[in-house]
Amino acid sequence: MKIRVLVSLKPGVLDPQGRAVHHALEGLGFNGVDDVRIGRTVELDVADDTSDAALTEMCEKLLANTVIENYTIEKLG
């Protein structure tokens, strides 16, 4: 089964990468971009019988720093 985990910074957590990209976009003449937040995608290929609890545990123990990041698990099939 294919799994996609989307990890992003929680609201209120400073995002220096996002700020740098926002500044670069403005420098290139792209106006109208109000904010940029940088996250990451983790793609997993797991056994079909992998439980939701196991996926959550993977995220909370390794894939996301839950102090400063949120995550979303998507099952792709």
Side-chain angles (χ1 to χ4, degrees), residues 58-71:
M58 289 178 202
C59 290
E60 294 190 358
K61 287 188 172 182
L62 179 67
L63 301 178
N65 177 351
T66 57
V67 173
I68 61 169
E69 295 174 322
N70 292 322
Y71 64 89

Side-chain angles (χ1 to χ4, degrees), residues 14-33:
L14 294 178
D15 185 354
Q17 285 181 307
R19 182 173 291 166
V21 170
H22 183 261
H23 181 72
L25 288 170
E26 286 180 335
L28 291 171
F30 293 102
N31 299 315
V33 178

Side-chain angles (χ1 to χ4, degrees), residues 7-65:
V7 182
S8 60
L9 290 171
K10 290 182 176 182
V13 175
L14 294 178
D15 185 354
Q17 285 181 307
R19 182 173 291 166
V21 170
H22 183 261
H23 181 72
L25 288 170
E26 286 180 335
L28 291 171
F30 293 102
N31 299 315
V33 178
D34 294 328
D35 192 27
V36 177
R37 304 285 284 175
I38 302 294
R40 68 183 176 281
T41 302
V42 179
E43 294 186 358
L44 305 168
D45 192 357
V46 300
D48 289 341
D49 62 349
T50 303
S51 69
D52 290 348
L55 295 171
T56 298
E57 189 174 0
M58 289 178 202
C59 290
E60 294 190 358
K61 287 188 172 182
L62 179 67
L63 301 178
N65 177 351

